[in-house]
Amino acid sequence: MSKIKPSKGAPYARILGVGGYRPTRVVPNEVILETIDSSDEWIRSRSGIQTRHWANDEETVAAMSIEASGKAIADAGISAEQIGGVIVSTVSHFKQTPAVATEIADKLGTNKAAAFDISAGCAGFGYGLTLAKGMIVEGSAEYVLVIGVERLSDLTDLEDRATAFLFGDGAGAVVVGPSAEPAIGPTVWGSEGDKSETIKQTVPWTEYDSTGKFPAITQEGQAVFRWAVFEMAKVAQQALDAAGIAPSDLDVFIPHQANERIIDSMVKTLKLPEHVTVARDVRTTGNTSAASIPLAMERLLATGEAKSGDTALVIGFGAGLVYAATVVTLP
């Protein structure tokens, strides 16, 4: 017989508040066209992107995260001292250690919250949300802050016609806390490492000095597009099935904001009804990787396109290749 006491957490978990931060500098396609041979019409038709935000020197990964987190904590109606865990998903914090989450936890005024970073690319928010849910149900924290944050402008090759126009910067955060009823569904997640070469950093940091060119993110556009359109629609449907939700029961669809053509194709494949609000934050924010889902969620709620209590399907997918999808109740 085990001598270990059972965990005493909440029966369920839910998103209680959301916040976002977009850098002050807005970058239109015309700026991108200064370094690549393309056109505004081509960029819009291929991706839907019109503008993106790029961070200045003061808008660091930590600074943007703190701004977004402060809004999420206020929206949740709790204090920073009540936060028991801080999970940060990012690929653009350039210090291997310590985790930027520890700096964020301290500057927010948490009471020595557990804090760590994860690297799961554009699926990172879904991974963090799943970990937070587990912490709350297990009882190791009452409230957990999940942050997706990127400064992808630091990892963009402005001469790469295939990717120069895609990436933006920003931070999105949610507070996850206890719930008396299910409000975060089962997560369908996984990885396909055999496709890891389709999205990658051009050179590892260890080879940076020898190449003389700063590492950037590169991708095989057509391969990624086909994978996202055909395989991720299946994952999204699996998440709906796992939550016991039919497409007609959905109010909102918040996919990773990678490309509007991918979003349109997923909507069509899933046969989402016209009443379902679809996030299209990619148009003015670009692809912000781990930050894209919480930023899109925050904007939908702020504009009134979505409302508290709505049922939303969220799915992230990207470098790895990795993916994570779940159904949530919006805060």
Side-chain angles (χ1 to χ4, degrees):
M1 182 176 179
S2 175
K3 298 178 181 179
I4 301 173
K5 292 182 179 179
S7 301
K8 291 184 179 180
Y12 306 104
R14 69 185 306 118
I15 299 174
L16 299 173
V18 60
Y21 180 82
R22 293 171 176 81
T24 54
R25 183 187 178 193
V26 177
V27 179
N29 287 338
E30 285 72 21
V31 171
I32 306 298
L33 296 174
E34 294 174 4
T35 52
I36 61 170
D37 180 16
S38 187
S39 68
D40 178 61
E41 189 280 330
W42 187 88
I43 293 174
R44 291 184 187 225
S45 66
R46 300 289 290 183
S47 68
I49 298 172
Q50 303 166 22
T51 61
R52 73 284 292 146
H53 295 254
W54 283 356
N56 60 34
D57 290 344
E58 287 73 39
E59 291 167 322
T60 63
V61 166
M64 292 191 294
S65 297
I66 290 166
E67 289 289 334
S69 298
K71 295 175 184 177
I73 291 168
D75 191 42
I78 66 169
S79 69
E81 290 183 348
Q82 294 174 272
I83 298 290
V86 177
I87 303 171
V88 177
S89 178
T90 184
V91 299
S92 48
H93 174 59
F94 294 156
K95 288 184 180 179
Q96 188 72 33
T97 192
V100 72
T102 59
E103 176 186 350
I104 294 166
D106 176 62
K107 290 185 175 178
L108 284 172
T110 67
N111 185 20
K112 299 181 181 179
F116 56 95
D117 299 351
I118 59 174
S119 177
C122 305
F125 176 75
Y127 275 51
L129 188 64
T130 303
L131 294 172
K133 173 185 173 183
M135 291 167 70
I136 290 160
V137 173
E138 188 270 339
S140 60
E142 186 176 11
Y143 299 100
V144 178
L145 184 64
V146 179
I147 304 165
V149 57
E150 302 291 3
R151 273 182 55 122
L152 294 181
S153 58
D154 292 335
L155 289 168
T156 299
D157 181 351
L158 294 178
E159 296 179 352
D160 181 356
R161 189 173 184 271
T163 61
F165 59 91
L166 288 176
F167 302 121
D169 303 337
V174 299
V175 172
V176 183
S179 175
E181 60 184 16
I184 301 175
T187 300
V188 177
W189 57 352
S191 65
E192 298 184 30
D194 60 315
K195 300 180 180 66
S196 61
E197 291 295 301
T198 57
I199 306 175
K200 63 181 182 179
Q201 187 172 303
T202 49
V203 294
W205 297 110
T206 51
E207 295 180 16
Y208 165 44
D209 287 342
S210 62
T211 62
K213 191 169 185 179
F214 198 77
I217 296 174
T218 184
Q219 69 175 27
E220 297 174 15
Q222 287 302 314
V224 173
F225 183 87
R226 288 192 297 270
W227 176 78
V229 167
F230 296 110
E231 298 304 319
M232 291 305 97
K234 297 175 186 176
V235 171
Q237 184 61 58
Q238 290 169 16
L240 288 173
D241 294 342
I245 298 292
S248 59
D249 297 324
L250 279 179
D251 300 303
V252 184
F253 179 43
I254 311 178
H256 166 48
Q257 302 294 291
N259 180 307
E260 193 165 30
R261 290 172 62 210
I262 293 174
I263 294 171
D264 289 339
S265 295
M266 292 182 72
V267 168
K268 183 177 180 180
T269 302
L270 289 167
K271 299 179 180 179
L272 296 184
E274 289 189 6
H275 76 262
V276 176
T277 297
V278 179
R280 299 183 185 279
D281 193 44
V282 66
R283 293 173 177 171
T284 55
T285 305
N287 180 345
T288 56
S289 189
S292 79
I293 290 175
L295 278 174
M297 182 184 295
E298 182 263 349
R299 175 157 282 172
L300 288 175
L301 290 166
T303 59
E305 296 173 81
K307 62 183 185 300
S308 175
D310 278 354
T311 300
L313 169 64
V314 299
I315 178 170
F317 44 87
L321 294 171
V322 293
Y323 55 87
T326 187
V327 177
V328 303
T329 301
L330 294 183

